[in-house]
Amino acid sequence: MANNFIEAVVEKDIAEGRCESTVTRFPPEPNGYLHIGHAKSLCINFGIKEKYQGKCNLRFDDTNPTKEDVEYVDSIKEDIRWLGFEWDNECFASDYFEQTYDYAVELIKKGLAYVCDYSAEEIRQTRGTLTEPGQESPWRNRSVEENLKLFAEMRAGKYPDGSKTLRAKIDMASSNINMRDPVLYRILRAHHHHTGDKWLIYPMYDFAHPIGDAIEGVTHSICTLEFEDHRPLYDWVTENCGFVNPPHQYEFARLNIKNTIMSKRYLKKLVDNGLVDGWDDPRMPTLSGMRRRGYPAEAIKNFCAAVGVAKANSEVDGALLEHYVRDCLNRTADRVMVVEDPLKVIISNLENEEIVTLVNNPNEENSATHEAPLGKEIYIERSDFAVNPPPKYHRLVPGGMVRLKGAYILKYISHETVDGKVVSVTCEAIPDSKQGGVNANIKVKGVIHWVDAEKCVPVKLMKYSGLLTDETEDKKDFDDRINPCSLEVVEGGFAEPYLAECPSGSAFQFIRAAYYKLAGKEGDKLVFYRIVELKDSFNK
Ligand code: ATP
Ligand code: MG
């Protein structure tokens, strides 16, 4: 069954024999890293391949050499693989430059293209407006011979950059501005990451794209809504270049997420201005940033599926993405104990170190376990003890009891203060109060996490939040909305020793706190990235 209107078209086309199976393509311009918006396009294009046993090509739309780079080509491939997609052919629009040139020559021969001596600015000025037609170029009626000669000379380097273009001869009075003799080729002396210095003229995206699609036998060329007005030109190109059974273009609404930058150009600015530490900074909405932060690829795909494919633009709440991240991690992440702001607790009646067994993931049947040492001195969270507790405070208080996660019930005995600040609490462990013990059923309201004071490992926590603050009346531009507190670094906490043995890259639920990824080590400290908080703010 079709999941969206594009799949419905595909099913109809297969049923009516317009195509046997599908060929789609993902066409990034290698001018930046992929972001979460691209994931949506990837899921649509590769989703069709998987569902209809079709093919999906990766085609780099590299017609803009000044902005493109192999670094981006490599990162794009890595990100697509990470999402779990495999492309059939790896192509470059520049692979077809020779053929594209030949098609342009064909158009000239058919009297459908001409060399124009206007500058880019003059072309813009004579293009007309939505209400007024454009003016015909004085060079519109050059002879085929002259056009062929000039176009060959453009290629050979006879004219300076920007001094001539090849334009399609369509209709300067068209109600669609894209059809008013659009530029097909421009002169540009720029080193190309793929073709080197071979070319001095480059085709425009609107010309190269339909040709690339047609050469590859693409059946369904899927793009975002901004290209809807370009579709007549897309069809004009495939038709006049003589392709039989040409591809068709379908447009869907791009993904927009609240307070999230979804433009490579602007993301690049953040990188270039040093506001983040690279394209893969864990705060970036790039796929590499999300991977580094610890978002599972599966969560991103589930999110894209939930958002769906629509024909009208809208904005999604970022909480929905976090919901799917949490949903994945809840199923897969080990539960561990990390005390962020430690307060010492002395267990007066515990003479010898004990070993406590903790279940890694209570959501898993027969989950693995790990061990944690429990000695006479432990750390608990400072906020888990209160001399003057607020109402409904179910943690440790003078005269009260609390359960240590996976271990004993503690009973308060005394506490010590220095300059009004609590520096330690002394408790006694109720004998046989561990799970299964005769005193295990004593009623206590709170369960708190803890770490052994002698064997715990110091941690550094990188707590991330949004790069942008909310839009307000006077702050609409991204530049004015940079969140100054998008990274909070917290040191001074401790983790249970198990974490020192886990491989970097693993994701954990710090119980009662948040999901974190073990990023690596800095000296004796374990460094963790906060992936997402525990609380789900997404309202279904
Ligand atoms: P940007 O504005 O970030 O540079 P782009 O559209 O120019 O984006 P491309 O590299 O040309 O980026 O995009 C590759 C594919 O991904 C295109 O088919 C494009 O339509 C799609 N895409 C880009 N951004 C989004 C988005 N926010 N939602 C859905 N699809 C997107
Ligand atoms: Mg683009």
Side-chain angles (χ1 to χ4, degrees):
M1 224 228 352
N3 275 330
N4 55 57
F5 75 94
I6 299 176
E7 290 186 1
V9 170
V10 166
E11 294 191 0
K12 185 162 180 280
D13 287 344
I14 293 174
E16 292 175 357
R18 191 176 83 77
C19 57
E20 265 174 43
S21 104
T22 57
V23 180
T24 50
R25 85 288 171 265
F26 176 69
E29 187 180 349
N31 61 349
Y33 283 57
L34 297 183
H35 52 62
I36 179 77
H38 294 112
K40 178 170 175 181
S41 174
L42 283 161
C43 287
I44 295 172
N45 283 296
F46 282 93
I48 289 174
K49 164 191 157 108
E50 286 166 7
K51 191 159 173 178
Y52 303 102
Q53 288 93 48
K55 288 193 159 66
C56 183
N57 293 344
L58 169 59
R59 166 143 31 88
F60 291 99
D61 248 310
D62 55 352
T63 52
N64 218 347
T66 50
K67 301 213 173 74
E68 296 159 3
D69 199 276
V70 276
E71 175 196 349
Y72 302 133
V73 170
D74 295 341
S75 75
I76 288 170
K77 293 200 274 188
E78 186 181 355
D79 291 345
I80 299 175
R81 286 201 190 98
W82 174 64
L83 281 184
F85 296 127
E86 264 178 63
W87 53 90
D88 289 273
N89 300 300
E90 179 180 325
C91 319
F92 290 80
S94 57
D95 293 338
Y96 315 128
F97 277 175
E98 199 65 54
Q99 280 157 285
T100 309
Y101 179 86
D102 292 342
Y103 283 114
V105 169
E106 282 310 305
L107 291 180
I108 295 174
K109 287 182 181 162
K110 289 183 184 171
L112 291 173
Y114 62 96
V115 173
C116 175
D117 295 3
Y118 270 158
S119 64
E121 180 56 24
E122 287 164 321
I123 290 178
R124 211 181 50 76
Q125 280 170 5
T126 51
R127 200 168 44 195
T129 63
L130 287 175
T131 49
E132 280 170 49
Q135 300 153 31
E136 295 194 347
S137 158
W139 295 282
R140 198 170 198 260
N141 295 315
R142 274 177 164 149
S143 69
V144 168
E145 289 65 36
E146 189 182 3
N147 281 320
L148 287 173
K149 175 171 163 280
L150 290 172
F151 190 48
E153 288 172 349
M154 279 167 64
R155 176 177 181 169
K158 187 161 178 194
Y159 306 106
D161 286 9
S163 61
K164 289 187 182 348
T165 57
L166 182 75
R167 296 176 71 175
K169 192 172 181 176
I170 309 179
D171 178 6
M172 287 307 289
S174 171
S175 58
N176 183 336
I177 292 182
N178 294 300
M179 299 300 271
R180 295 183 188 166
D181 291 10
V183 172
L184 304 180
Y185 265 91
R186 65 206 193 282
I187 307 174
L188 180 67
R189 285 165 176 80
H191 184 80
H192 189 284
H193 68 95
H194 209 231
T195 57
D197 298 313
K198 179 169 179 207
W199 290 91
L200 307 174
I201 56 172
Y202 288 96
M204 302 302 286
Y205 174 88
D206 276 340
F207 187 51
H209 196 79
I211 289 178
D213 282 349
I215 290 173
E216 289 171 26
V218 165
T219 54
H220 300 81
S221 177
I222 300 161
C223 62
T224 44
L225 281 182
E226 317 86 85
F227 290 97
E228 196 167 6
D229 290 345
H230 297 237
R231 194 188 331 138
L233 178 55
Y234 184 100
D235 292 339
W236 185 94
V237 171
T238 56
E239 188 188 327
N240 289 295
C241 290
F243 290 103
V244 285
N245 201 8
H248 288 277
Q249 175 182 303
Y250 303 91
E251 306 89 14
F252 68 96
R254 59 194 292 128
L255 175 68
N256 296 307
I257 303 181
K258 197 163 173 273
N259 286 344
T260 305
I261 301 170
M262 216 84 89
S263 137
K264 280 181 283 188
R265 194 176 51 84
Y266 199 84
L267 291 172
K268 184 168 188 314
K269 204 168 144 190
L270 293 178
V271 175
D272 291 345
N273 293 346
L275 285 164
V276 291
D277 113 55
W279 283 95
D280 67 344
D281 184 292
R283 291 163 292 181
M284 289 281 269
T286 52
L287 295 180
S288 53
M290 291 181 175
R291 174 169 66 238
R292 181 159 162 218
R293 171 120 168 217
Y295 280 22
E298 182 197 343
I300 293 174
K301 293 208 246 183
N302 291 346
F303 164 74
C304 290
V307 169
V309 182
K311 261 273 179 204
N313 280 315
S314 64
E315 198 176 57
V316 180
D317 192 330
L320 182 64
L321 174 57
E322 295 194 337
H323 167 81
Y324 284 100
V325 171
R326 217 174 268 119
D327 176 62
C328 259
L329 295 174
N330 183 35
R331 281 182 273 116
T332 55
D334 284 4
R335 272 57 173 171
V336 294
M337 297 193 287
V338 172
V339 172
E340 193 174 315
D341 183 12
L343 171 65
K344 184 170 283 183
V345 172
I346 300 148
I347 308 175
S348 62
N349 57 343
L350 197 79
E351 290 315 322
N352 301 313
E353 181 188 282
E354 297 186 10
I355 299 291
V356 167
T357 301
L358 298 162
V359 173
N360 287 353
N361 192 338
N363 288 344
E364 253 173 47
E365 236 178 279
N366 308 318
S367 160
T369 57
H370 69 271
E371 294 182 335
L374 172 69
K376 194 177 179 69
E377 291 192 357
I378 62 170
Y379 292 122
I380 65 168
E381 218 58 78
R382 181 162 287 282
S383 58
D384 283 339
F385 175 71
V387 179
N388 299 301
K392 299 206 176 136
Y393 184 84
H394 295 318
R395 307 172 228 173
L396 189 61
V397 294
M401 288 192 288
V402 78
R403 177 180 283 285
L404 294 180
K405 174 81 186 168
Y408 295 104
I409 294 170
L410 293 189
K411 186 171 175 196
Y412 170 90
I413 295 176
S414 64
H415 70 272
E416 199 187 325
T417 53
V418 172
D419 296 335
K421 193 181 175 196
V422 179
V423 291
S424 71
V425 184
T426 302
C427 294
E428 86 185 341
I430 297 189
D432 287 319
S433 62
K434 282 182 175 167
Q435 211 181 14
V438 292
N439 288 325
N441 292 332
I442 294 177
K443 274 254 173 294
V444 285
K445 282 200 169 147
V447 180
I448 61 172
H449 59 278
W450 53 276
V451 296
D452 180 77
E454 191 192 330
K455 300 218 164 132
C456 63
V457 190
V459 297
K460 176 174 172 181
L461 306 180
M462 313 288 277
K463 296 185 170 184
Y464 300 106
S465 39
L467 273 175
L468 292 189
T469 56
D470 282 345
E471 181 177 322
T472 57
E473 262 315 304
D474 54 329
K475 287 186 179 169
K476 288 203 154 74
D477 279 2
F478 290 156
D479 294 289
D480 303 326
R481 289 169 53 204
I482 297 293
N483 177 5
C485 318
S486 57
L487 170 59
E488 185 197 351
V489 180
V490 179
E491 300 192 65
F494 298 103
E496 51 170 305
Y498 167 64
L499 283 163
E501 278 137 46
C502 293
S504 286
S506 315
F508 300 94
Q509 185 192 100
F510 290 5
I511 58 173
R512 302 173 65 221
Y515 289 99
Y516 280 88
K517 172 182 139 170
L518 177 56
K521 271 191 183 169
E522 249 178 56
D524 61 343
K525 284 197 185 95
L526 298 177
V527 181
F528 289 95
Y529 295 162
R530 186 170 72 189
I531 308 171
V532 65
E533 291 179 77
L534 282 189
K535 203 167 149 266
D536 201 329
S537 59
F538 174 66
N539 215 332
K540 272 204 170 158

